[in-house]
Amino acid sequence: MTLPTRRIGPFTVSAIGLGCMNLSHAYGRLPSEADGIRLLERALDLGVTFLDTAALYGYGGNERLIGKSVMRRKDEFTLASKCVLDVFDGERGLNGRPEAIAKTLDQALVRLGTDHIDLYYLHRLDPQVPIEDSVGALARAKEAGKIGALGLSEISAATIRRAHAVHPIAAVQSEYSPCVRNPEVAVLDACRELGIGFVAFSPVARGYLADAIAHDRYEEDDIRAIMPRFVEPQLSSNLALLARFRDLARGSGITPAQLALGWVLAQGDDIVPIPGTRSIAHLEEDVAAAHVALSADTIAAVDAIFTPGAMAGPRYSPAMQATIDTELLPEEMADA
């Protein structure tokens, strides 16, 4: 099957990609390896040509899963992975030093069973290391043929400009959805000015906009249990917003997830959302959103639900926010 395509740096990819984190990380009980393999295979069969992973996901397990399952079909997709966030001396950590980046990359290549990753991101900014040093490490990896293009994740416009001055950046990845608008502060404008593609992770807001959250009794190791928007007392307020969003989707003849993805796609043809899922049925639902064309009235109705400050609670806990360089929204700054 084929899907509509968009450009991210030098790559032409399906208009909707796949974030692979869910298969190995962060959302409670993990699927079996066999189920993960089936989902990855089905994504390629549906025409998805952009897979996103990271060293952190499953502490290397996600890269190993991709290596075991679909790397034999590598000519069918563009592969993205990430460094800086990794496991160092047995503990999760943040290390943007060039030697750490080089080590993470070499380990990733082994796990993936390849000698080349198409797009390689700095997963987060290490505030202890100048961005120029970290980007320089990626530039050297590109010169060595180990990666094809450079990316940044959850990075501010000012940092993007500093990084781009060292070496052209192909893609910036940040959370973006109808209810998370931080890239609109400055990042989207910077990307467009510099000719950088934008990759929207969590475009269905960690399942919230897919109508997958009804309470805050999460499984063990579900990251949403420590995210203020997805626990009480904030959650009840946000579920009231979701009810309006659900009704709008129903009236448009699509699912809430498809409404969220259609909204993201409508924000510009330089944006590629990468929803993640463990369900083949939900994967098929997400991919079908590549063919959804929302009317201007529907887009305006979405915006009328998620007005500035409508979502209760900050996006991240204070500890998580400390690792994020992307600009805060005005209402977040007021609460900081």
Side-chain angles (χ1 to χ4, degrees):
M1 296 178 64
T2 58
L3 294 175
T5 60
R6 295 187 168 191
R7 295 283 296 179
I8 292 292
F11 309 110
T12 298
V13 301
S14 53
I16 292 178
L18 177 67
C20 301
M21 180 183 78
N22 305 47
L23 300 177
S24 308
H25 196 83
Y27 290 99
R29 184 174 61 253
L30 299 178
S32 69
E33 180 182 88
D35 285 346
I37 290 173
R38 277 192 287 271
L39 188 135
L40 290 166
E41 295 274 12
R42 181 60 177 154
L44 298 188
D45 293 343
L46 289 169
V48 173
T49 64
F50 191 31
L51 303 185
D52 180 275
T53 183
L56 181 69
Y57 301 160
Y59 305 132
N62 200 244
E63 290 176 328
R64 282 191 292 270
L65 179 66
I66 290 172
K68 183 174 183 177
S69 59
V70 293
M71 286 301 286
R72 60 185 173 76
R73 300 174 63 177
K74 181 59 189 64
D75 60 340
E76 299 178 38
F77 64 92
T78 296
L79 175 65
S81 193
K82 311 179 195 72
C83 59
V84 178
L85 272 179
D86 198 0
V87 176
F88 304 100
D89 299 324
E91 294 187 4
R92 170 177 170 157
L94 184 72
N95 193 333
R97 295 197 302 270
E99 60 271 23
I101 288 172
K103 183 177 180 179
T104 294
L105 173 57
D106 285 343
Q107 292 172 337
L109 293 170
V110 171
R111 290 189 290 258
L112 289 160
T114 186
D115 60 2
H116 181 86
I117 297 172
D118 299 309
L119 174 60
Y120 206 54
Y121 295 92
L122 302 179
H123 203 157
R124 292 289 188 271
L125 174 68
D126 182 348
Q128 305 303 315
V129 180
I131 188 66
E132 291 81 1
D133 292 355
S134 298
V135 171
L138 294 189
R140 289 188 291 277
K142 181 181 177 183
E143 290 169 2
K146 294 181 179 183
I147 66 174
L150 283 62
L152 307 171
S153 179
E154 286 284 23
I155 298 291
S156 68
T159 306
I160 290 168
R161 295 181 194 283
R162 288 174 56 191
H164 195 73
V166 175
H167 186 283
I169 301 300
V172 167
Q173 179 178 131
S174 285
E175 183 175 2
Y176 191 44
S177 72
C179 63
V180 175
R181 304 293 188 91
N182 299 74
E184 295 176 0
V185 175
V187 165
L188 283 171
D189 286 344
C191 287
R192 286 164 177 161
E193 176 189 332
L194 298 171
I196 299 170
F198 185 84
V199 177
F201 78 77
S202 294
V204 298
R206 304 182 188 277
Y208 166 73
L209 294 176
D211 202 15
I213 299 176
H215 53 73
D216 64 358
R217 298 184 299 277
Y218 299 104
E219 292 182 353
E220 186 178 358
D221 297 326
D222 191 316
I223 195 173
R224 293 170 294 190
I226 58 170
M227 291 183 155
R229 290 180 172 178
F230 302 132
V231 296
E232 296 297 356
Q234 294 80 219
L235 181 59
S236 291
S237 175
N238 294 332
L239 288 178
L241 294 175
L242 176 64
R244 295 169 57 194
F245 186 79
R246 185 193 308 120
D247 289 344
L248 178 61
R250 184 181 300 115
S252 301
I254 55 179
T255 68
Q258 290 170 339
L259 178 57
L261 290 166
W263 182 93
V264 172
L265 290 168
Q267 303 311 302
D269 60 11
D270 53 347
I271 298 174
V272 174
I274 52 167
T277 183
R278 299 171 175 180
S279 160
I280 287 179
H282 290 164
L283 170 69
E284 293 170 349
E285 174 189 344
D286 290 346
V287 169
H291 302 287
V292 168
L294 301 180
S295 69
D297 287 346
T298 300
I299 293 169
V302 171
D303 292 340
I305 295 170
F306 294 109
T307 55
M311 287 290 286
R315 183 161 69 111
Y316 286 123
S317 67
M320 296 172 76
Q321 184 62 49
T323 70
I324 303 298
D325 187 50
T326 306
E327 292 85 358
L328 293 172
L329 293 163
E331 60 266 26
E332 293 174 314
M333 294 176 68
D335 293 336

